[in-house]
Amino acid sequence: MELVLGIDGGGTSCRAAVAGPDGTIIGRAKSGPANIRTDLTGARANIVEAARLALIDAGKDPALIPEIPALLGLAGSNVGTYRQQLEAILPFPRSIVESDALIALEGALGQADGAIAVLGTGTAFMVRKDGQVRTVGGWGFLIGDQGSGGRIGRDLLEETMLAYDRIREASPLTQALLAVFRDNPRDVVEFTTTAKPGDFGGFAPMVFEYAAKGDVVGERILARAVSDIEASLGVLDLREANPLCLLGGLAPLLEPRLSQKYRAMVRPALQDALGGAVAMAVRRFGEGKAHG
Amino acid sequence: MELVLGIDGGGTSCRAAVAGPDGTIIGRAKSGPANIRTDLTGARANIVEAARLALIDAGKDPALIPEIPALLGLAGSNVGTYRQQLEAILPFPRSIVESDALIALEGALGQADGAIAVLGTGTAFMVRKDGQVRTVGGWGFLIGDQGSGGRIGRDLLEETMLAYDRIREASPLTQALLAVFRDNPRDVVEFTTTAKPGDFGGFAPMVFEYAAKGDVVGERILARAVSDIEASLGVLDLREANPLCLLGGLAPLLEPRLSQKYRAMVRPALQDALGGAVAMAVRRFGEGKAHG
């Protein structure tokens, strides 16, 4: 039986699935973060650990790793030479590293045309049209990821400081945020010294909660996020007949706020990104075999 | 002769001046960064080094440090307990740590009423009215510092990525920025992985240069920066009769863009922040002596 590995790695965890030649998953596992941009060695270790545990979960010998090809979808693999560096040090006989967005697209749509909007700590958009894939966004918290949880949380902190300085109006939401920091704006600044995008994103649900109650600052922050997301959707040139899958932790919160035009196109994803990685692994490594 | 030390420390360098009891500066020196939030031990070392070199510059024995009181204006001293931590480990017989903005206010205005706008890598605003001081802004790059070089440079990078994705229009400015990164948007993202506010601020002069030639993206970025700065000035409740001093590296570039109302109030600073630290040192330690 010829096995394949599909791997989905990001900044918070790494998931692996081992599957037979028909794509049936027989084992799954999860390990720690696999951020190849900030910790390549640690990412490699967690990738191998997830693969090892998935083999054990499937009742297979983890010593088989050097014999099982792997397809990995990894955040950050589209920047710099991290992808090539990683491929060079992985223990699999063949490794294909793709972006995390591409395995999400494959999972959501299979090989059909359509689009995904990843709405989580970050945001990214991908459309497949006549088989051609185009990516929009996904440039990270500092200069991109408009409409993301990270940006929504950051916007709340900025609005709170502006309210403290009486430059913008305060609201129940900005007051509640400041209360989290013991009503001390200096503690808010202190938080930002080491906060990562996911830490900012931790405040996003609070923005939705207060906006639902009509909070003026919450509404303003979300109006901007939705406007930014729709601007990205706008350049994807979507076809009404093709599915649009909203992925990521904020998708259920953001979907009702999108305009009718986009909501009408939304379909559930066929499977998750890990399933997409497995499906791609079966296809790519199968192709290789057929051709070789 | 009883000496005092004035010290002006920030994220890029630390300056020290030693003065006689009348405030006449007799020695000056400069050392490395003194960022008490990110590197307290390193900040202490550079503070002591600047003081030591200032004594040598004055022809005095640097071994006198344990006998000379110091007033320090330090970035980040208004957050957390860094100030108290630092005061506990400094070698001076008496140490007073104030914010960098307060010594800048003292330098610019002496003890008179008026206001300062610090327009550099970050932004901060301070007004003195009937002797009472109020600070606005200065909350840092991530959730504050609106209108700063750091934010202007970051805005340029964000606009460039949006133009690359065809979400916003490109312009000669966004094209020139992308060319800096070999026309590779992934290299822009890579830059942001480790870039500090000052690194983003390094692109601010380019925004002014292109805006002066009518670049539409440059004009939009600066219009927002000026609007943010005027919003901060607006809450200071300035009196027309009192001086407004624009400080920081971007002050000469931003001043002509302010509305006539504010430009009419602008006056040159009496002296720089280091001079302000020395003046405060003479007054505070002199007071202490008179009372003690």
Side-chain angles (χ1 to χ4, degrees):
Chain A
M1 179 176 185
E2 296 186 46
L3 303 175
V4 296
L5 278 161
I7 289 168
D8 173 20
T12 51
S13 67
C14 179
R15 297 184 304 151
V18 59
D22 64 345
T24 307
I25 293 174
I26 58 171
R28 293 169 181 275
K30 192 172 169 177
S31 63
N35 190 326
I36 59 175
R37 280 176 65 193
T38 57
D39 183 7
L40 188 70
T41 309
R44 181 194 186 276
N46 280 321
I47 288 165
V48 175
E49 177 68 1
R52 216 179 61 78
L53 294 173
L55 282 166
I56 292 170
D57 185 52
K60 303 286 177 185
D61 183 353
L64 286 174
I65 279 181
E67 298 171 27
I68 308 177
L71 190 137
L72 305 91
L74 299 176
S77 63
N78 58 341
V79 169
T81 61
Y82 301 110
R83 170 186 177 155
Q84 291 82 346
Q85 290 180 57
L86 180 70
E87 285 176 348
I89 60 172
L90 284 175
F92 313 110
R94 289 178 66 194
S95 306
I96 299 176
V97 177
E98 296 288 359
S99 74
D100 51 343
L102 191 65
I103 61 166
L105 182 79
E106 176 86 18
L109 302 173
Q111 291 188 264
D113 281 0
I116 58 169
V118 185
L119 309 173
T121 295
T123 49
F125 303 83
M126 197 173 251
V127 62
R128 191 196 281 133
K129 201 180 291 182
D130 305 325
Q132 295 295 307
V133 168
R134 180 182 167 211
T135 309
V136 162
W139 303 118
F141 174 70
L142 281 172
I143 60 166
D145 285 2
Q146 292 86 359
S148 68
R151 289 286 291 251
I152 290 171
R154 193 212 65 84
D155 284 357
L156 171 57
L157 268 58
E158 179 161 354
E159 291 285 342
T160 300
M161 303 309 275
L162 288 167
Y164 176 85
D165 277 335
R166 304 201 292 270
I167 294 170
R168 298 261 184 91
E169 78 267 51
S171 77
L173 174 59
T174 65
Q175 284 156 1
L177 187 281
L178 201 55
V180 172
F181 293 95
R182 302 178 297 180
D183 289 322
N184 185 347
R186 286 163 192 84
D187 284 358
V188 183
V189 175
E190 182 69 357
F191 166 81
T192 68
T193 308
T194 54
K196 293 183 173 20
D199 300 321
F200 286 97
F203 293 107
M206 192 171 163
V207 178
F208 284 93
E209 179 195 332
Y210 278 78
K213 293 184 278 187
D215 187 279
V216 61
V217 175
E219 283 290 353
R220 185 165 64 222
I221 293 171
L222 293 185
R224 181 178 166 181
V226 167
S227 162
D228 286 342
I229 289 165
E230 297 205 345
S232 293
L233 291 173
V235 298
L236 297 181
D237 193 22
L238 302 174
R239 290 176 186 150
E240 280 180 35
N242 293 339
L244 166 64
C245 299
L246 306 182
L247 313 176
L250 292 184
L253 292 168
L254 283 164
E255 182 178 343
R257 292 183 171 266
L258 293 181
S259 54
Q260 175 55 29
K261 171 186 171 187
Y262 292 116
R263 273 187 288 135
M265 302 168 72
V266 171
R267 301 284 178 279
L270 299 178
Q271 55 178 339
D272 67 6
L274 184 59
V278 168
M280 284 185 79
V282 168
R283 201 168 69 246
R284 296 277 197 92
F285 297 126
E287 279 170 7
K289 208 166 48 186
H291 295 169
Chain B
M1 180 181 187
E2 296 187 47
L3 303 175
V4 295
L5 278 160
I7 288 167
D8 173 20
T12 51
S13 67
C14 180
R15 297 183 305 152
V18 59
D22 64 347
T24 307
I25 292 175
I26 59 171
R28 291 170 182 274
K30 191 173 171 178
S31 63
N35 191 325
I36 60 175
R37 281 177 67 194
T38 58
D39 182 8
L40 189 71
T41 308
R44 180 194 187 276
N46 280 321
I47 289 164
V48 175
E49 177 67 2
R52 216 179 61 79
L53 294 173
L55 282 165
I56 292 171
D57 185 53
K60 303 286 179 186
D61 184 353
L64 287 173
I65 280 181
E67 298 172 28
I68 308 177
L71 189 137
L72 306 91
L74 299 176
S77 63
N78 57 341
V79 170
T81 61
Y82 302 109
R83 172 187 176 155
Q84 291 81 346
Q85 290 179 57
L86 181 71
E87 285 176 349
I89 60 172
L90 285 174
F92 313 110
R94 290 179 65 195
S95 306
I96 300 176
V97 176
E98 295 288 0
S99 74
D100 51 342
L102 192 66
I103 61 167
L105 182 80
E106 177 85 18
L109 304 171
Q111 291 189 263
D113 281 0
I116 58 168
V118 184
L119 309 173
T121 296
T123 49
F125 303 83
M126 196 173 253
V127 63
R128 192 194 281 133
K129 201 180 293 184
D130 304 325
Q132 295 295 307
V133 168
R134 180 181 167 211
T135 307
V136 162
W139 304 117
F141 174 71
L142 281 173
I143 59 166
D145 285 4
Q146 293 86 359
S148 68
R151 290 287 290 248
I152 289 171
R154 193 211 66 82
D155 284 357
L156 172 58
L157 267 57
E158 179 161 355
E159 291 285 343
T160 299
M161 304 308 275
L162 289 168
Y164 176 84
D165 278 334
R166 304 200 292 268
I167 294 170
R168 299 260 184 91
E169 79 267 51
S171 77
L173 173 59
T174 65
Q175 286 156 0
L177 189 280
L178 201 54
V180 170
F181 292 95
R182 302 178 298 179
D183 289 320
N184 186 346
R186 287 164 191 83
D187 284 359
V188 183
V189 175
E190 182 69 358
F191 166 82
T192 68
T193 309
T194 53
K196 293 183 171 20
D199 300 321
F200 285 97
F203 293 107
M206 192 170 161
V207 178
F208 284 94
E209 179 196 331
Y210 277 78
K213 292 184 280 185
D215 187 278
V216 60
V217 175
E219 282 291 351
R220 184 166 65 223
I221 294 170
L222 293 186
R224 181 178 167 183
V226 167
S227 162
D228 286 342
I229 289 166
E230 297 204 345
S232 293
L233 291 172
V235 297
L236 296 180
D237 193 23
L238 302 174
R239 290 175 185 152
E240 281 181 32
N242 292 341
L244 166 64
C245 299
L246 306 183
L247 313 176
L250 291 184
L253 292 169
L254 283 164
E255 183 179 342
R257 292 181 171 268
L258 294 181
S259 54
Q260 174 54 28
K261 172 185 169 188
Y262 292 115
R263 274 188 287 135
M265 301 169 72
V266 172
R267 300 283 179 277
L270 299 177
Q271 56 178 336
D272 67 7
L274 183 60
V278 167
M280 284 185 80
V282 168
R283 200 168 70 247
R284 296 277 195 94
F285 296 124
E287 278 170 7
K289 206 167 49 188
H291 296 171

